[in-house]
């Protein structure tokens, strides 16, 4: 499914997913470009029931989910978003980056449904922020790669969800609907000049604002079952 595609399996190297492969490629490029000094930072955000949590927060081991600090999305006067309480971890090697991925994956929210024994109950955004500076230059180039594992939309009558799992499904379906609204609005903007894009409708679309519109490239992978 989607999570396997993004993160891969843990038993065989050939089953590694998009995130481990992207990490490997990035650090391979770092090694090739010896005349450039690179810095890489990683964050791992979970959006569960429209609340943000830092999957790399060390308090995950000793605290309940409701007791953890919430990641807050703040907007400055220039319209730029900032995420409060989301840690950024410097990584110097592929191994360091993979350790961050594995740590975050162990803290994810999953549940069993009739359709999936380990159903993702949250959206997760694994972000690599990169700074590059050529030797002898004062110019710093910054780039960001967001790798997103979306929880799947659910037909409640098929998954037989009730109680907490039903509430989770409602939040998942609503946030995916808002993501669809943003994508449709961006298409209309390119075709007929629509001005308003509803990024503020959900935390996920707000966080992914600079990965959906503007100076970015977006790829989506769909899993059909």
């Amino acid at each position: 499914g989607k999570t396997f595609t993004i993160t891969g399996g843990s038993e065989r190297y050939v089953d590694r997913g998009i995130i481990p492969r992207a990490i490997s490629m990035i650090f391979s490029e770092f090694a090739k470009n010896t005349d450039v000094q690179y810095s890489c930072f990683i964050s791992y955000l979970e959006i569960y029931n429209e609340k943000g949590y830092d999957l790399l927060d060390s308090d995950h081991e000793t605290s309940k989910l409701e007791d953890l600090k919430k990641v807050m999305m703040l907007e400055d006067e220039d319209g730029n978003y900032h995420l409060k309480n989301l840690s950024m971890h410097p990584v110097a090697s592929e191994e360091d980056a993979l350790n961050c991925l594995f740590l975050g994956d162990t803290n994810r929210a999953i549940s069993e449904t009739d359709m999936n024994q380990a159903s993702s109950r949250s959206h997760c955004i694994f972000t690599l922020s990169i700074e590059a500076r050529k030797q002898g230059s004062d110019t710093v180039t910054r780039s960001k790669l967001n790798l997103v594992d979306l929880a799947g939309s659910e037909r409640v009558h098929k998954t037989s969800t009730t109680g907490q799992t039903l509430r989770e499904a409602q939040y998942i379906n609503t946030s995916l609907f808002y993501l669809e609204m943003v994508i449709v609005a961006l298409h209309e903007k390119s075709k007929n000049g629509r001005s308003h894009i509803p990024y503020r409708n959900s935390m996920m679309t707000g966080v992914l604002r600079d990965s959906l519109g503007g100076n970015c490239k977006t790829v989506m992978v769909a899993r059909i079952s």
Side-chain angles (χ1 to χ4, degrees):
K2 293 180 295 300
T3 299
F4 183 83
T5 301
I6 292 292
T7 61
S10 58
E11 296 181 1
R12 300 192 307 165
Y13 181 74
V14 294
D15 289 337
R16 65 198 189 283
I18 291 174
I19 295 179
R21 291 172 187 266
I23 290 171
S24 179
M25 185 194 75
I26 287 170
F27 279 93
S28 175
E29 289 299 314
F30 287 176
K32 289 179 185 177
N33 299 323
T34 55
D35 62 332
V36 180
Q37 180 182 352
Y38 291 100
S39 300
C40 185
F41 304 87
I42 284 177
S43 63
Y44 206 173
L45 171 68
E46 177 178 47
I47 301 175
Y48 174 74
N49 290 358
E50 200 53 28
K51 295 182 177 66
Y53 298 93
D54 184 357
L55 285 173
L56 302 179
D57 185 347
S58 58
D59 290 340
H60 263 286
E61 297 179 7
T62 56
S63 304
K64 294 181 180 179
L65 185 67
E66 57 267 23
D67 296 331
L68 292 170
K69 287 185 292 188
K70 308 293 189 298
V71 176
M72 308 295 291
M73 190 165 58
L74 308 175
E75 187 175 1
D76 63 24
E77 58 186 14
D78 297 321
N80 299 312
Y81 285 109
H82 304 276
L83 295 173
K84 182 181 178 182
N85 296 328
L86 182 65
S87 58
M88 295 280 286
H89 296 256
V91 291
S93 66
E94 180 180 346
E95 182 180 2
D96 290 347
L98 289 174
N99 285 337
C100 287
L101 172 64
F102 296 147
L103 173 62
D105 283 345
T106 61
N107 293 326
R108 286 198 63 174
I110 60 172
S111 294
E112 182 176 348
T113 70
D114 284 359
M115 300 287 285
N116 191 344
Q117 285 187 332
S119 174
S120 299
R121 313 311 297 166
S122 61
H123 308 301
C124 290
I125 304 172
F126 185 89
T127 302
L128 295 111
S129 300
I130 299 169
E131 297 179 356
R133 185 201 303 266
K134 283 193 173 184
Q135 291 181 3
S137 173
D138 294 330
T139 302
V140 177
T141 303
R142 294 182 175 88
S143 57
K144 182 166 66 173
L145 176 62
N146 282 322
L147 296 154
V148 186
D149 181 18
L150 296 174
S153 61
E154 295 186 356
R155 299 292 182 265
V156 174
H157 68 280
K158 288 186 177 182
T159 55
S160 302
T161 53
T162 58
Q164 177 65 21
T165 311
L166 174 60
R167 183 165 172 265
E168 292 167 349
Q170 292 169 338
Y171 274 106
I172 291 168
N173 290 342
T174 300
S175 62
L176 291 172
F177 172 70
Y178 287 140
L179 176 61
E180 179 187 1
M181 285 180 62
V182 166
I183 293 171
V184 169
L186 287 168
H187 174 71
E188 291 177 351
K189 179 181 180 181
S190 66
K191 292 296 183 182
N192 52 34
R194 172 174 173 163
S195 58
H196 175 65
I197 309 297
Y199 291 115
R200 291 188 179 89
N201 281 353
S202 75
M203 184 174 192
M204 180 171 63
T205 52
V207 171
L208 294 178
R209 180 174 183 169
D210 57 359
S211 290
L212 294 169
N215 182 27
C216 72
K217 293 183 179 179
T218 307
V219 176
M220 300 188 75
V221 179
R223 297 294 296 167
I224 302 173
S225 60

